[in-house]
Amino acid sequence: MKVTLAIDSFKGSISSVDAEKAVERGIHRADPLVVCDKFAVSDGGEGLVETLHTGRDELVSVSVHGPLFEMRTARYLRRGSTAVIEMAAASGLTLVPEEKRNPMETTTLGTGELIMHALASGCTRLLIGIGGSATNDGGIGMASGLGYRFLDKEGKSVKPCGKNLQTIRSIDMSQVTPLLQHAVIIAACDIENPLYGKNGAAAVYGPQKGAVPEMVAELDAGLVNLAACSGKESTASAKGSGAAGGLGFGLRAFCNAELCSGIELVLHETGIEESMRSSQLVITGEGRIDSQTGYGKVPAGVAGLAKKYGLPVVAIAGSIGEGTEDLYKLGIDAVVCTTNAPMELSEAMMRAPELIEDAAFRTWKLLQVRL
């Protein structure tokens, strides 16, 4: 019997790869003859490079500008003419000390430099994960790394960060790299926020990056100005344009990028569908399963694909919250919790490998009753 494993990381506890190894150990305790076909997965945000990395790929290190314009080294993955880039590697919130977090000052310039390096290296297909940003610059930093110049009323280039969005009066495209014309860029995005407004990048996500109310208002006004100066108001209102502080908008407006579901992108790139064609069961999971799981999370995406082949789906989770009943309508047939006794969250996270293994063993023993 063959089982396809596609489990997300249990955030702060265990990686996707290690969670799947634990499930495999549990299954083999019950039946060592079961073939476990393992696929590291993520929702397309932080961890995209690690998820898609195989032994055949090259990890490329590049010196780029970090979110505070400091120089740092960031990596992207190269597989033939395809590059896999995480904006968080160059412009992520985790790169900024908590006391320095301020989206007025941060930039996506380093992300643009990663894109430029990949294009100059011959990559014509770019997959970009845009989760975990420290920025709210509407993507002008990224675009600056590709040759765009954002000019003030005096015709001078503005420093590409959030606080200068309102000073932009025109955009000079004369130095934009021609390599963009031959590139296909796909960004993984699972949020639906527009660029600006009460549900926009600044209002919803700015406070998480250090913005106080006054900053939120200023950043939002700046994003409105950016959309007007670029003539891309319709793009600004599209779902996902507010992702990563407006990088979703920037990639669309300045790189003609397509935004797609992160989990759908990952599942396509891993080749998991071929495995499902010859499997009898799919096991997925994540740290906590609840009503939010149905909104672009790994288990829902995996289950949706599995149902294409009529496969039963079991989800393993560290905890189970409210609203899981709705997940059965999405293709998840059973949910199994890893905790097997009363314990603190810290203990459950520390013991994740053994608890996941035990949950897989118990699940398989139950399935054997039916099989």
Side-chain angles (χ1 to χ4, degrees):
M1 184 174 185
K2 176 183 167 186
V3 181
T4 299
L5 306 182
I7 303 170
D8 198 359
S9 62
F10 285 34
K11 298 296 187 292
S13 179
I14 189 171
S15 69
S16 171
V17 171
D18 289 338
E20 289 169 3
K21 288 179 179 177
V23 168
E24 183 178 44
R25 289 194 301 271
I27 292 175
H28 284 170
R29 278 170 50 197
D31 186 347
L33 298 181
V34 175
V35 175
C36 294
D37 208 1
K38 302 185 293 296
F39 292 85
V41 288
S42 73
D43 60 10
E46 292 177 85
L48 181 63
V49 167
E50 180 183 7
T51 298
L52 298 183
H53 185 215
T54 70
R56 304 183 303 275
D57 303 323
E58 178 185 3
L59 286 175
V60 182
S61 296
V62 186
S63 179
V64 301
H65 288 86
L68 293 174
F69 292 92
E70 80 286 7
M71 298 307 298
R72 63 170 56 247
T73 299
R75 300 192 303 177
Y76 69 91
L77 180 152
R78 184 163 60 199
R79 179 186 301 163
S81 61
T82 295
V84 182
I85 295 170
E86 286 182 45
M87 74 88 62
S91 315
L93 187 62
T94 59
L95 303 179
V96 183
E98 191 167 349
E99 67 276 8
K100 293 184 178 180
R101 292 178 180 177
N102 181 348
M104 299 286 285
E105 303 290 345
T106 50
T107 184
T108 54
L109 176 59
T111 298
E113 291 168 336
L114 285 177
I115 293 172
M116 186 66 235
H117 191 279
L119 292 173
S121 298
C123 294
T124 54
R125 179 171 179 264
L126 279 64
L127 310 178
I128 305 177
I130 60 174
S133 78
T135 57
N136 201 110
D137 71 353
I140 64 171
M142 176 278 302
S144 296
L146 298 172
Y148 284 89
R149 295 176 64 226
F150 297 88
L151 311 178
D152 61 18
K153 62 182 180 181
E154 297 177 351
K156 296 180 180 179
S157 294
V158 304
K159 187 177 182 181
C161 58
K163 69 181 180 182
N164 291 328
L165 287 168
Q166 290 193 70
T167 67
I168 297 171
R169 293 295 177 269
S170 62
I171 303 173
D172 179 4
M173 298 182 287
S174 63
Q175 298 177 39
V176 175
T177 174
L179 296 173
L180 273 176
Q181 299 173 19
H182 310 290
V184 174
I185 299 178
I186 302 172
C189 174
D190 287 306
I191 71 166
E192 298 186 349
N193 304 75
L195 180 62
Y196 51 76
K198 65 179 182 179
N199 296 316
V204 176
Y205 301 106
Q208 301 173 11
K209 304 170 187 182
V212 298
E214 294 79 9
M215 292 181 187
V216 169
E218 188 172 341
L219 289 167
D220 193 64
L223 293 171
V224 171
N225 181 59
L226 173 63
C229 290
S230 62
K232 300 285 186 178
E233 288 93 342
S234 60
T235 299
S237 63
K239 292 180 179 180
S241 285
L247 181 60
F249 168 82
L251 287 167
R252 279 172 162 158
F254 306 123
C255 302
N256 197 31
E258 173 190 352
L259 269 61
C260 73
S261 160
I263 183 57
E264 289 180 8
L265 183 151
V266 168
L267 293 177
H268 179 268
E269 293 300 317
T270 58
I272 192 175
E273 191 166 356
E274 186 62 33
S275 173
M276 288 184 179
R277 295 178 194 273
S278 56
S279 281
Q280 285 74 53
L281 174 71
V282 173
I283 297 180
T284 185
E286 62 180 345
R288 177 179 173 82
I289 285 182
D290 55 26
S291 60
Q292 294 302 306
T293 299
Y295 297 93
K297 297 292 187 71
V298 166
V302 171
L305 185 60
K307 290 311 172 188
K308 179 179 177 180
Y309 299 96
L311 295 173
V313 178
V314 174
I316 294 177
S319 65
I320 302 173
E322 296 181 358
T324 54
E325 295 83 0
D326 293 338
L327 301 180
Y328 299 120
K329 302 174 186 176
L330 300 178
I332 294 176
D333 298 291
V335 179
V336 179
C337 189
T338 62
T339 49
N340 54 18
M343 65 182 70
E344 296 289 337
L345 174 61
S346 57
E347 180 185 358
M349 293 177 67
M350 181 179 64
R351 296 175 55 196
E354 65 176 279
L355 293 174
I356 293 172
E357 178 181 334
D358 180 65
F361 173 76
R362 287 186 280 111
T363 299
W364 202 260
K365 295 300 288 186
L366 183 62
L367 290 173
Q368 285 177 327
V369 172
R370 172 181 170 277
L371 298 173

